[in-house]
Amino acid sequence: MTAIGVSANRLEILQIAKAVAEEKSIDQRIVIEAMQEAIEKAAKAKYGQEHDIRAKIDPATGEQTLWRVQTVVSDDNFEDEAKQLRLADAKKIDASLEIGSELKEELPPFDFGRVAAQTAKQVITQKVRDAERERQYNEYKDRVGEIINGIVKRVEYGHVIVDLGRAEGIIRRNDGIPRENFQPNDRVRAYLYKVSREVKGPQIFLSRAAPDFMRKLFAQEVPEVYEGVIQIKACARDPGSRAKIGVISNDSSIDPVGACVGMRGARVQAVVGELSGEKIDIIPWSYDAATFIVNALQPAEVSKVVLDEDERRVEVVVADDQFPLAIGRRGQNVRLASQLTGWQIDLITESADSERFQKEFQERTELFMKALDADETLAQLLASEGFETVEEIAFVAPEDFITIEGFDKDVAEELQERARDFLEQLAAENDAKRRALGVEDAVMDLEGMTPAFAVKLGEQGIKTVEDVAGLVPDDITGYREPGPDGKPVWVEGILKKGEMRKDDAQMFVMKARVIAGWIEPEALDALMAQQAGSDQPAAELTEEERALLALGELGNSVSDDDDEEALAEELGIDLADLQTEGGDDDAASRE
């Protein structure tokens, strides 16, 4: 009877371990290890916590073994009588034992008391729970970026708890579609965007408002998107109201917009139905930023687009009657277009643009009248021909004047002489102002220095060569920094935007540091060689690559690195040969 009872207990242990492992979807060995730890803890409670007690359950037979372990140490290292054994004493028990050996003493089985059983249960429960949490984390961390199906378990303060089968996810209030109500047991689909490891178990965050949720829905409904023939390059959403997606086809025979819309709108309507009626504008994506911006503002018609690549801002001119349509209700259309394109869009009407042009035209006319001592008609003629500054008139080739109707060589020479006289007078006034501000003459000896530049330095308290040497290029050219809304804003430098390139500003400061004795001339030579080397790869481009750069197909018009790589791969071009210095330097060089 005793043997049968022991056998049954062994079998029961294995059956329990198997049942718990299957229920929690964890490895059976983890359950057995938890049982072993529970037995060890109960045994320590019976025999003393100071002992090193170990338990073993055979995973094949369920047989339980319990030992007390003592480690053999030298007399000098002997510290704990319960866990350690002197070498001399160990030799008396077993002559083969050496320092570091373990002496195992098998302990008799014992009955768990009520407290010990409760403690063992807690240990097993905790271990199984930890294993289950680890299994959930490992299972879902690799599914980030997928659409997950689940059943609504409960709704708490606007947060939806979703039963995913072997785990729970949460759709937070901000991740849900506004005015979308869920009830317990409703089926729901959502985008898994984050899995975080927490003390109480992994947190699985789901979203129905993320732009990527719409991308994945289109991939499910449109086979061409799933297969990669059509790419969704950009997506912007106002959840529950309206959305815009930019699509492009890698196959010229397939219309990307038509494929996403489907026969009688079947495909897009399936996505709209899942998003609670959210209206979707499907827009053809373009590598040309201006073209894509015009497309993104549909259904409004655009008259003119002016790009500022330094700040990634674009000024869009629309007809007066198109202005409300371009803005959309509560600014929705232009806001989504800005999110879609990644450009800050400034809308202006044709009438306002005309008024601004007239104002600028009048300012140039008055400047030319004052500088050239000319009448209004002549000044207006020069302004209408595209001259913007007196410097352009003073140093332009005489042939450019002769092409203007009514101008001859004598008139051109007279105008240029007056322009130079005005510039000399202005330079003298600036030099006097520079002296009054205390800017030293040594600063004027710096290469690239002008009286007007010196005045601006003096107004900033920069009066000596050492002061100039202490500048950084951004102080001169300006720079971008995150604004209050997180979008980059331009901070003006000492010079106006575009007056000096950043690499020229760096060279200017380095030369001042050489003169001030801060650095050796060899450092300046190294910088000059580096700048010269950075321009070298451009001369090694193929004719096809140079043509693409000239047409704006690469570099300037590509909005991000992924797009550059995709285009380069499509054209068979190695981007390593097309690396150029980005940011403000490029913009300044193009100007």
Side-chain angles (χ1 to χ4, degrees):
M1 290 296 293
T2 304
I4 296 175
V6 171
S7 176
N9 289 335
R10 294 174 182 173
L11 182 60
E12 185 178 356
I13 287 176
L14 294 180
Q15 289 176 341
I16 292 173
K18 182 178 180 181
V20 172
E22 290 178 351
E23 180 184 353
K24 302 297 183 180
S25 299
I26 59 177
D27 194 334
Q28 183 175 340
R29 288 176 298 179
I30 296 176
V31 182
I32 292 178
E33 289 173 1
M35 290 180 172
Q36 290 175 176
E37 186 174 336
I39 294 173
E40 291 172 1
K41 194 164 186 178
K44 285 182 178 181
K46 177 177 178 62
Y47 295 109
Q49 296 292 339
E50 69 277 9
H51 295 289
D52 182 7
I53 298 178
R54 303 177 191 177
K56 175 70 175 177
I57 298 177
D58 192 318
T61 63
E63 183 178 355
Q64 305 173 33
T65 310
L66 196 63
W67 305 283
R68 182 171 77 102
V69 179
Q70 289 180 299
T71 304
V72 179
V73 297
S74 62
D75 292 345
D76 296 337
N77 296 327
F78 184 78
E79 297 176 353
D80 190 340
E81 184 177 354
K83 296 181 180 180
Q84 295 178 339
L85 189 66
R86 290 187 175 90
L87 179 61
D89 296 336
K91 289 288 187 181
K92 295 177 181 178
I93 300 173
D94 187 344
S96 64
L97 293 175
E98 301 292 341
I99 294 177
S101 301
E102 290 183 343
L103 179 65
K104 295 182 178 180
E105 177 186 353
E106 188 169 347
L107 300 176
F110 64 94
D111 293 330
F112 281 46
R114 182 182 62 82
V115 176
Q118 186 66 26
T119 303
K121 178 182 177 182
Q122 291 175 354
V123 171
I124 296 173
T125 302
Q126 184 61 41
K127 279 287 184 179
V128 170
R129 186 182 293 117
D130 290 344
E132 184 181 13
R133 289 169 178 170
E134 187 66 21
R135 188 268 306 163
Q136 290 175 350
Y137 176 78
N138 292 329
E139 178 179 350
Y140 285 95
K141 71 181 177 65
D142 297 328
R143 298 183 64 183
V144 172
E146 296 182 8
I147 289 181
I148 303 292
N149 296 313
I151 297 175
V152 175
K153 193 171 183 179
R154 62 186 183 277
V155 180
E156 298 178 350
Y157 305 104
H159 306 302
V160 181
I161 311 302
V162 182
D163 183 0
L164 303 177
R166 298 196 295 184
E168 283 187 358
I170 180 172
I171 303 177
R172 295 185 292 186
R173 186 187 299 107
N174 295 336
D175 292 326
I177 296 176
R179 299 176 297 278
E180 188 176 51
N181 295 318
F182 287 106
Q183 301 298 326
N185 298 321
D186 286 352
R187 298 199 64 84
V188 62
R189 286 200 291 177
Y191 177 77
L192 174 58
Y193 69 92
K194 180 182 178 183
V195 179
S196 66
R197 193 194 296 267
E198 302 290 344
V199 176
K200 294 183 178 180
Q203 290 290 314
I204 302 172
F205 295 99
L206 308 174
S207 175
R208 288 177 56 80
D212 284 334
F213 182 47
M214 179 177 289
R215 292 175 184 261
K216 292 296 182 179
L217 289 176
F218 270 102
Q220 290 182 353
E221 299 296 336
V222 183
E224 292 85 352
V225 174
Y226 177 79
E227 294 168 359
V229 178
I230 294 175
Q231 288 181 286
I232 300 177
K233 304 290 285 186
C235 182
R237 292 182 62 191
D238 188 354
S241 178
R242 191 175 178 185
K244 291 177 180 283
I245 63 169
V247 295
I248 189 171
S249 175
N250 296 324
D251 187 341
S252 58
S253 64
I254 296 178
D255 173 25
V257 176
C260 291
V261 171
M263 186 70 67
R264 297 180 181 177
R267 291 175 173 176
V268 71
Q269 284 303 319
V271 177
V272 169
E274 178 63 36
L275 299 177
S276 301
E278 187 172 318
K279 297 178 181 177
I280 302 174
D281 296 337
I282 303 174
I283 297 163
W285 195 88
S286 174
Y287 286 103
D288 179 65
T291 302
F292 184 41
I293 291 167
V294 171
N295 293 340
L297 284 169
Q298 292 177 3
E301 296 179 3
V302 176
S303 303
K304 185 173 68 173
V305 174
V306 181
L307 299 176
D308 183 349
E309 296 187 358
D310 287 344
E311 296 189 53
R312 289 192 67 79
R313 296 181 75 97
V314 57
E315 184 179 276
V316 178
V317 181
V318 297
D320 290 29
D321 60 342
Q322 293 288 310
F323 190 70
L325 193 61
I327 292 180
R329 189 178 68 174
R330 298 178 182 174
Q332 185 183 67
N333 191 58
V334 68
R335 183 174 66 252
L336 288 176
S338 179
Q339 294 174 7
L340 187 73
T341 59
W343 288 73
Q344 181 67 33
I345 299 176
D346 299 325
L347 285 176
I348 186 172
T349 61
E350 289 181 346
S351 59
D353 184 55
S354 177
E355 290 176 5
R356 184 181 60 181
F357 175 78
Q358 291 297 332
K359 181 180 179 181
E360 293 175 353
F361 183 82
Q362 185 62 31
E363 290 175 352
R364 290 201 303 271
T365 299
E366 292 174 357
L367 173 63
F368 294 155
M369 289 174 63
K370 176 184 176 182
L372 306 176
D373 192 19
D375 59 19
E376 185 175 4
T377 303
L378 179 58
Q380 288 179 347
L381 179 59
L382 291 172
S384 62
E385 287 294 329
F387 291 101
E388 296 183 356
T389 63
V390 179
E391 285 82 355
E392 292 180 4
I393 297 174
F395 302 109
V396 75
E399 295 78 12
D400 293 339
F401 274 113
I402 298 174
T403 58
I404 302 175
E405 185 178 353
F407 278 48
D408 56 20
K409 185 177 180 181
D410 294 337
V411 173
E413 290 177 353
E414 177 64 23
L415 286 175
Q416 289 194 306
E417 184 176 352
R418 292 184 182 183
R420 293 185 185 119
D421 290 342
F422 174 79
L423 292 176
E424 289 176 2
Q425 180 183 353
L426 185 62
E429 293 174 356
N430 283 329
D431 190 60
K433 189 174 181 181
R434 180 267 302 179
R435 294 176 185 273
L437 290 170
V439 179
E440 297 180 353
D441 293 339
V443 176
M444 293 301 300
D445 296 333
L446 294 173
E447 184 178 345
M449 181 59 65
T450 64
F453 189 8
V455 169
K456 292 180 179 179
L457 290 175
E459 291 173 345
Q460 298 295 325
I462 301 167
K463 302 178 180 181
T464 65
V465 174
E466 286 76 13
D467 292 340
V468 176
L471 297 174
V472 296
D474 283 349
D475 293 333
I476 299 174
T477 61
Y479 55 93
R480 281 181 302 225
E481 67 177 9
D485 57 354
K487 296 179 180 178
V489 296
W490 181 259
V491 178
E492 286 288 350
I494 297 172
L495 296 178
K496 289 185 178 180
K497 186 177 178 182
E499 287 189 35
M500 181 180 285
R501 289 175 29 155
K502 188 158 289 185
D503 55 353
D504 292 337
Q506 184 180 17
M507 187 64 67
F508 175 78
V509 172
M510 289 290 286
K511 289 179 179 178
R513 291 174 181 175
V514 171
I515 295 174
W518 292 12
I519 61 174
E520 298 297 329
E522 290 77 9
L524 182 61
D525 296 337
L527 177 62
M528 295 176 66
Q530 179 183 355
Q531 290 188 356
S534 66
D535 298 333
Q536 193 65 28
E540 300 174 357
L541 300 179
T542 65
E543 290 296 326
E544 179 188 17
E545 291 164 354
R546 280 195 290 269
L548 287 169
L549 286 172
L551 290 172
E553 290 286 328
L554 285 174
N556 301 343
S557 62
V558 177
S559 62
D560 53 53
D561 296 337
D562 293 336
D563 299 333
E564 286 183 352
E565 294 173 0
L567 178 60
E569 182 179 358
E570 179 181 346
L571 297 173
I573 296 173
D574 185 4
L575 278 179
D577 296 331
L578 296 176
Q579 294 296 323
T580 57
E581 196 171 338
D584 305 323
D585 302 284
D586 289 344
S589 63
R590 287 192 291 276
E591 291 172 2

